[in-house]
Amino acid sequence: MHIATVDAKITSFCLDERLREIRIFKRKMLEAIPFDHNAYFKDAIGILNDETKAEKIILQVANHHLKYLISKPIHASQRLILEPRKMEFRSLKLC
């Protein structure tokens, strides 16, 4: 990821196959812009932050998917708000 400044604002760009050319200039920054990466990416999912206001999202998942979501959180703010019920198994007799 490349971080560039435009009018003292932090902007991030993806460095992937969309990138066609990189130009490296010898100019040096006169003054570093204070940057707190934890605060900047706090509400972002992935590496981009478009300053969209964060929303509360509640996911309901099947029990067998829950273990994966707990071990690999989608976002640092993810919390378990309700313990899952244990699955009950009952016997059925089919004629």
Side-chain angles (χ1 to χ4, degrees):
M1 180 176 66
H2 168 74
I3 297 182
T5 59
V6 178
D7 297 327
K9 181 180 177 186
I10 302 292
T11 307
S12 58
F13 300 96
C14 296
L15 296 180
D16 60 15
E17 68 274 353
R18 294 172 285 185
L19 185 68
R20 293 194 177 119
E21 179 182 354
I22 295 178
R23 293 183 188 174
I24 300 174
F25 297 95
K26 293 185 178 187
R27 289 186 298 177
K28 293 186 178 181
M29 291 181 60
L30 299 176
E31 186 177 319
I33 297 172
F35 180 67
D36 178 357
H37 66 279
N38 288 324
Y40 182 79
F41 291 109
K42 179 180 139 240
D43 293 328
I45 293 181
I47 62 166
L48 298 179
N49 179 354
D50 64 0
E51 299 181 9
T52 301
K53 185 178 180 207
E55 296 183 35
K56 183 177 182 177
I57 299 171
I58 298 175
L59 299 176
Q60 183 176 359
V61 299
N63 286 354
H64 61 280
H65 294 299
L66 182 62
K67 189 185 307 183
Y68 179 78
L69 277 175
I70 291 172
S71 68
K72 305 282 189 237
I74 295 172
H75 190 266
S77 65
Q78 178 176 310
R79 302 287 178 264
L80 182 63
I81 57 174
L82 183 64
E83 289 289 332
R85 294 186 312 213
K86 292 190 181 202
M87 293 185 69
E88 294 181 17
F89 295 96
R90 297 180 190 255
S91 297
L92 295 175
K93 182 178 180 184
L94 301 175
C95 299

